[in-house]
Amino acid sequence: MKLLTFSTLLFFSLIILNSSSTTQAHNITRILANHPDFSTYNHYLSVTHLADEINRRRTITVLAINNAGMQSLLDKHLSISTLKNVLSLHILVDYFGAIKLHHITNGTTLVSSVFQATGAAAGTAGYVNVTNLKGGKVGFGAEDNDGSLHSFYVKSIDEVSYDISVLQISQPLSSADAEAPTSAPSAINVISIMSKQGCKAFADLLRASKALPTFEENIDGGLTVFCPTDSAVNDFIPKYKNLTDAKKVSLLLYHGIPVYESLQMLKSTNGVVNTLATEGANKYDFTVQNNGEDVKLQTKVVTASIVGTLIDQDPFVAYKINKVLLPRELFKVSELAPAESPKPSKKKSNKKGKVDSSADAPADGPGANDEADNQKAADDNNGAKDGVTLMIMFFTFSIWFLVL
Ligand SMILES: *[C@@H]1O[C@H](CO)[C@@H](O)[C@H](O)[C@H]1NC(C)=O
Ligand SMILES: *[C@@H]1O[C@H](CO)[C@@H](O)[C@H](O)[C@H]1NC(C)=O
Ligand SMILES: *[C@@H]1O[C@H](CO)[C@@H](O)[C@H](O)[C@H]1NC(C)=O
Ligand SMILES: *[C@@H]1O[C@H](CO)[C@@H](O)[C@H](O)[C@H]1NC(C)=O
């Protein structure tokens, strides 16, 4: 009888475990709001939009600095975009709870930070050296700073296993690279960034086109670029060559929107967006449609998915997408899209252009295989949970066997 009760208990713990794997979203602003000594740090995470970056990532470690430490950083009078680089060095794209932190394999490791991951850092700047030291200390240092370890672990503020860990460190990580004055946004070389980050084919089209100046002129005021992968562009080349020069320009302009849209912003605004090719109402626009973590861009002809971020340096951001965006103004809806949207939309977008987020999503296109690392990490994490679930099931089963 007792054993039966025990197995029932195990059964329930199994259910709890499973449900916990579906509620993963964290909110760094809310986590730090409970810790007034980190209010300045929290404030600047929001101002720099890094809070959005932290919230959308999984398997992440935030190295938090208390108000006194932040004051020493603010005394340097860095611009907001430079401060963003410095703070992004404090967000590690791997999970270190207090326990893992004190048991690093071989006692030392280099961890990639968001500063590195967003493409803003040069060379090895953007990696953080984490080293176990004598007496249970853990030291941190920016790699471009000779790996000299000048900041130390203080305490764990909050941990959600293999999702987010928030750790206090004794002082800000100093890095010449992160603190270097950021180039004015207009000095950002769109073509070179795209070429280096896996969008060479699209960059080559843009380089040779009259569309390029329009992209460059928009950077200051905010620009979001959707860059199709090389294979998508290469497949499209025969059709591109078939377009007149003016239509080629329109097609390229169709891949930019004249505002800065972080991924978090894209995820929370469903609806029609105007592009750089838009002239007048309802021309050359497309619909942003979310489906959980996926952001889809729907023209009437094709549906593309965002598969990665090339650079996110407010006010300029570029994403990689898995298909060339084909505007209905240039391509027939029927001839290219049969597999994309077999069923007609039940809900038409209304005059304002906003689309109900509950409108039926189109059948999933290919391209889900080109996922971001953090998604993979989240899957690994789920894999670990599945392992635990299996073990519990096995245990429960053995006990039932004993009872019989
Ligand atoms: C996170 O929490 C803050 C404060 O509670 C709230 O203002 C903000 O909207 C939340 N963000 C998200 C993405 O839920
Ligand atoms: C630890 O050190 C050994 C021997 O130097 C090396 O082969 C191994 O790759 C190191 N492991 C890690 C995770 O750095
Ligand atoms: C981290 O820095 C320490 C001290 O400078 C150095 O001994 C160690 O090799 C560095 N670790 C890595 C992985 O580079
Ligand atoms: C190019 O245009 C012609 C005439 O409009 C059309 O017949 C042909 O199929 C097009 N080729 C491609 C590759 O789209």
Side-chain angles (χ1 to χ4, degrees):
M1 216 30 212
K2 258 197 184 134
L3 278 175
L4 258 177
T5 320
F6 186 47
S7 53
T8 315
L9 218 124
L10 277 170
F11 179 71
F12 277 111
S13 58
L14 190 145
I15 290 175
I16 289 164
L17 238 161
N18 265 340
S19 63
S20 75
S21 69
T22 57
T23 53
Q24 293 189 342
H26 51 248
N27 180 336
I28 186 68
T29 313
R30 198 175 304 146
I31 292 172
L32 288 174
N34 301 323
H35 303 271
D37 201 22
F38 295 87
S39 58
T40 311
Y41 182 71
N42 200 10
H43 170 74
Y44 281 99
L45 285 185
S46 293
V47 168
T48 55
H49 298 296
L50 285 170
D52 296 336
E53 187 70 31
I54 293 169
N55 293 345
R56 86 178 173 82
R57 284 176 180 269
R58 299 287 170 269
T59 319
I60 196 164
T61 300
V62 178
L63 303 177
I65 305 156
N66 68 9
N67 291 345
M70 276 305 289
Q71 195 51 52
S72 72
L73 192 56
L74 294 174
D75 285 345
K76 295 183 177 179
H77 302 292
L78 307 170
S79 71
I80 285 293
S81 58
T82 301
L83 188 61
K84 180 174 185 173
N85 283 347
V86 174
L87 293 182
S88 63
L89 183 67
H90 291 70
I91 306 165
L92 309 182
V93 296
D94 194 359
Y95 179 86
F96 289 92
I99 293 174
K100 184 178 168 192
L101 191 69
H102 285 90
H103 295 92
I104 292 168
T105 316
N106 292 350
T108 185
T109 186
L110 288 181
V111 189
S112 176
S113 71
V114 164
F115 182 45
Q116 202 276 326
T118 50
T124 58
Y127 286 92
V128 175
N129 178 327
V130 184
T131 299
N132 291 156
L133 302 167
K134 265 193 206 132
K137 276 178 127 186
V138 182
F140 296 84
E143 174 63 2
D144 72 320
N145 203 26
D146 300 335
S148 101
L149 311 168
H150 58 274
S151 187
F152 303 93
Y153 169 76
V154 177
K155 66 169 190 276
S156 168
I157 297 171
D158 201 3
E159 293 180 23
V160 180
S161 250
Y162 295 102
D163 180 16
I164 183 170
S165 166
V166 185
L167 309 173
Q168 181 184 357
I169 57 172
S170 60
Q171 58 170 314
L173 300 177
S174 76
S175 152
D177 230 289
E179 286 169 34
T182 45
S183 48
S186 51
I188 288 173
N189 188 331
V190 183
I191 297 290
S192 109
I193 289 168
M194 287 184 186
S195 300
K196 281 188 203 140
Q197 306 277 341
C199 276
K200 189 173 182 312
F202 186 76
D204 287 345
L205 292 186
L206 199 53
R207 193 200 316 267
S209 164
K210 288 203 176 82
L212 181 58
T214 310
F215 279 84
E216 291 171 338
E217 284 157 16
N218 273 281
I219 291 177
D220 280 335
L223 176 67
T224 302
V225 176
F226 300 99
C227 176
T229 58
D230 286 355
S231 63
V233 172
N234 289 335
D235 290 347
F236 174 70
I237 289 291
K239 291 198 181 85
Y240 182 76
K241 289 208 169 123
N242 221 11
L243 297 172
T244 64
D245 281 353
K247 286 178 176 175
K248 279 178 186 155
V249 169
S250 294
L251 180 107
L252 294 176
L253 292 178
Y254 192 57
H255 288 76
I257 58 180
V259 281
Y260 168 80
E261 292 267 13
S262 73
L263 201 56
Q264 204 57 46
M265 290 153 95
L266 283 172
K267 280 181 183 172
S268 51
T269 43
N270 284 331
V272 172
V273 294
N274 285 338
T275 68
L276 295 176
T278 300
E279 265 189 309
N282 308 321
K283 283 268 169 63
Y284 286 101
D285 53 17
F286 60 76
T287 302
V288 176
Q289 184 77 63
N290 302 304
N291 180 10
E293 281 296 293
D294 292 338
V295 178
K296 294 198 189 315
L297 312 177
Q298 300 174 291
T299 79
K300 290 280 187 316
V301 186
V302 73
T303 298
S305 297
I306 293 182
V307 294
T309 303
L310 302 185
I311 180 174
D312 182 352
Q313 225 173 19
D314 193 357
F316 173 60
V317 58
Y319 302 103
K320 192 187 278 194
I321 57 175
N322 64 346
K323 287 178 193 166
V324 175
L325 296 173
L326 306 177
R328 63 181 182 277
E329 286 80 3
L330 299 181
F331 298 91
K332 282 215 186 81
V333 174
S334 53
E335 97 191 351
L336 283 148
E340 277 308 324
S341 44
K343 44 187 179 169
S345 281
K346 269 177 274 166
K347 289 191 182 173
K348 281 268 162 89
S349 53
N350 62 27
K351 282 276 144 57
K352 268 262 169 69
K354 290 284 173 198
V355 172
D356 190 324
S357 60
S358 66
D360 50 337
D364 275 346
N369 51 346
D370 199 2
E371 280 290 80
D373 316 356
N374 51 1
Q375 190 51 51
K376 236 194 303 173
D379 290 350
D380 290 347
N381 178 10
N382 282 341
K385 274 179 182 152
D386 285 351
V388 175
T389 308
L390 259 173
M391 268 174 62
I392 291 180
M393 277 173 76
F394 179 70
F395 194 36
T396 314
F397 192 74
S398 332
I399 286 171
W400 262 325
F401 188 73
L402 273 175
V403 171
L404 294 172

